[in-house]
Amino acid sequence: MHDVAKPEIASVKPTRKIVIKAALAVVGLFLILAGIKALQIVKMVSSKPPMPVETVTSAQVKEEDWAPVLSSVGSVSAVQGAIVSVELGGTVSEVGFESGGVAKKGDVLLRLDTSSEQARADLERSRGLAARKVISKAEIDGAESKFKQKEGSVDNMRAMIAKKEVRAPFDGQLGIRQVNVGQMINAGQLVVPLQALDPVYVDFALPQQHLAKLSPGLEARVHTDAVPGHEFVGKLTAINPNVDPITRNVQVQATLENPDHVLRPGMFAKVDVVLPEKHKALVIPGSAISYAPYGDSVFVIEKKKDPKSGKESQTIRQQFVRVGEARGDFVSINNGLEAGETVVGTGVFKLRNGMAVTINNDLAPKPQVNPTPVDS
């Protein structure tokens, strides 16, 4: 029985060797694949991915002559304006104007009924004339004295009659009438607004630190959204002698020609007072600036050549700047840029230093010194 079992034990040993060799081969193959994968990962981590090319608009840094301006907001007011009213009460007998019409100085705007006053004045005058027909000298002297008294009474009546006739105090544009014929009105009743519209004033305020720069005759440029795209040019005509102790502002008034009557009292207006001296300024659109608490910056577009391929591309460099005066869509730069450089014009918030860019100005907005918003 022992001779038969020996050949079975000998046949098991070669099978174990084959299994061990197969396992080692699998482990070796796994290690090789893991090593290849690890090399690929290391290569991916060590190599920088190409930065995407961003499409941007561009703007050139320009050097311009800028006259310094003092900007403010104010209101249009009439050189002469009033709401015409009656001095005495009574019944309206005549209205001599139409709403929205034009009045000349002295035109009769309204008459009150004066029939009773007129009749009394006529009666007093008739009595005085009758008294003068007395023949006696003494009676003549007495009649003269009485006549003078009556004549004074007549004059008072005439004055009352005159006060019941309302006339235009100056040339101007009439508004909407507030009375009608036959209406019983009291003293002080408003009749109609009257405004002289050419020229007009613009009243505004400026901080006290600018007071030394102000003088009558300086040019004032006025814009209003009621007349978009139009600039009205006038002169400073009055400066208040005192400064408001609460706001520390000084009130200023400019006078503008208004032949077309497009400016109306009460309109909101933006005012720029142009100072006489001028200076050179580097100017870029305000949309080119990235404002931040740690400093304002722009992205300068530069050409860069690849040392390997020799190809030329455009990249951006973040440049910190010192921002100066703003005027419309433009901003002056006091430090950080040079004339002739090209900067990114819009969309700076999405950019990073060193990015590759391509310029496309087909849809670039057109900055203006006096912009007019679409919804204004």
Side-chain angles (χ1 to χ4, degrees):
M1 291 177 67
H2 292 288
D3 293 337
V4 177
K6 286 180 181 179
E8 292 179 0
I9 293 173
S11 64
V12 172
K13 291 181 178 179
T15 303
R16 288 180 178 177
K17 290 180 179 180
I18 293 171
V19 172
I20 293 171
K21 288 180 179 181
L24 291 174
V26 171
V27 172
L29 180 61
F30 175 77
L31 292 175
I32 292 171
L33 293 174
I36 294 172
K37 193 64 176 178
L39 290 173
Q40 290 176 344
I41 293 172
V42 170
K43 188 176 181 180
M44 288 176 63
V45 172
S46 60
S47 63
K48 293 182 179 179
M51 297 185 72
V53 178
E54 186 73 31
T55 301
V56 297
T57 62
S58 65
Q60 192 173 27
V61 182
K62 297 180 180 179
E63 186 177 53
E64 297 181 356
D65 287 326
W66 267 30
V69 298
L70 304 177
S71 298
S72 183
V73 295
S75 298
V76 178
S77 62
V79 172
Q80 293 188 87
I83 299 180
V84 181
S85 59
V86 294
E87 190 172 349
L88 299 175
T91 303
V92 179
S93 62
E94 180 184 344
V95 176
F97 67 93
E98 294 293 334
S99 296
V102 176
K104 296 292 184 181
K105 182 178 179 179
D107 287 352
V108 176
L109 302 179
L110 179 137
R111 285 191 176 95
L112 298 179
D113 182 28
T114 59
S115 56
S116 59
E117 288 86 354
Q118 188 68 50
R120 183 178 174 186
D122 291 342
L123 176 61
E124 295 292 344
R125 182 169 179 80
S126 299
R127 287 175 177 174
L129 291 173
R132 296 184 67 183
K133 294 180 180 179
V134 178
I135 301 171
S136 168
K137 180 71 170 71
E139 289 180 343
I140 289 176
D141 293 339
E144 289 289 343
S145 176
K146 290 181 180 180
F147 173 74
K148 289 179 181 179
Q149 293 177 2
K150 299 297 183 181
E151 192 172 38
S153 177
V154 171
D155 290 339
N156 289 335
M157 288 297 169
R158 287 174 178 170
M160 289 185 64
I161 292 170
K163 289 181 179 180
K164 289 196 173 185
E165 190 174 71
V166 180
R167 296 179 178 269
F170 51 83
D171 296 351
Q173 181 88 36
L174 293 165
I176 299 173
R177 72 180 188 181
Q178 307 294 313
V179 295
N180 295 298
V181 174
Q183 182 179 348
M184 184 69 180
I185 60 177
N186 299 319
Q189 169 71 41
L190 304 181
V191 177
V192 64
L194 178 63
Q195 304 285 336
L197 299 179
D198 185 26
V200 292
Y201 292 141
V202 176
D203 302 312
F204 57 99
L206 288 169
Q208 65 177 12
Q209 59 263 33
H210 299 315
L211 184 57
K213 304 174 185 177
L214 299 176
S215 62
L218 289 179
E219 183 178 290
R221 299 171 182 169
V222 176
H223 301 88
T224 174
D225 53 10
V227 192
H230 188 81
E231 181 176 78
F232 300 89
V233 179
K235 299 289 183 182
L236 250 62
T237 49
I239 303 169
N240 252 8
N242 62 296
V243 175
D244 191 309
I246 298 176
T247 63
R248 308 303 178 187
N249 290 337
V250 59
Q251 289 293 321
V252 185
Q253 189 175 77
T255 304
L256 310 175
E257 298 297 326
N258 187 35
D260 298 329
H261 296 178
V262 291
L263 294 176
R264 297 299 179 99
M267 277 186 177
F268 171 83
K270 300 176 184 177
V271 187
D272 292 325
V273 178
V274 183
L275 300 180
E277 69 271 11
K278 291 186 177 181
H279 65 273
K280 295 287 186 181
L282 297 179
V283 180
I284 61 173
S287 57
I289 300 175
S290 175
Y291 296 96
Y294 54 82
D296 305 325
S297 63
V298 299
F299 287 94
V300 180
I301 301 175
E302 298 177 324
K303 292 183 178 180
K304 185 177 181 181
K305 196 171 185 179
D306 192 334
K308 294 182 180 180
S309 64
K311 291 182 178 180
E312 195 175 67
S313 61
Q314 292 175 318
T315 60
I316 55 174
R317 170 177 56 85
Q318 189 173 22
Q319 175 66 46
F320 287 92
V321 295
R322 183 172 294 173
V323 178
E325 178 187 354
R327 193 172 300 176
D329 292 332
F330 293 96
V331 174
S332 64
I333 301 298
N334 295 335
N335 192 13
L337 291 177
E338 295 182 2
E341 288 186 309
T342 302
V343 298
V344 176
T346 55
V348 294
F349 60 90
K350 62 182 178 180
L351 303 178
R352 300 191 306 275
N353 192 31
M355 285 184 73
V357 296
T358 180
I359 298 175
N360 184 355
N361 290 325
D362 292 342
L363 300 177
K366 304 295 183 184
Q368 301 175 3
V369 175
N370 300 311
T372 304
V374 177
D375 58 350
S376 61

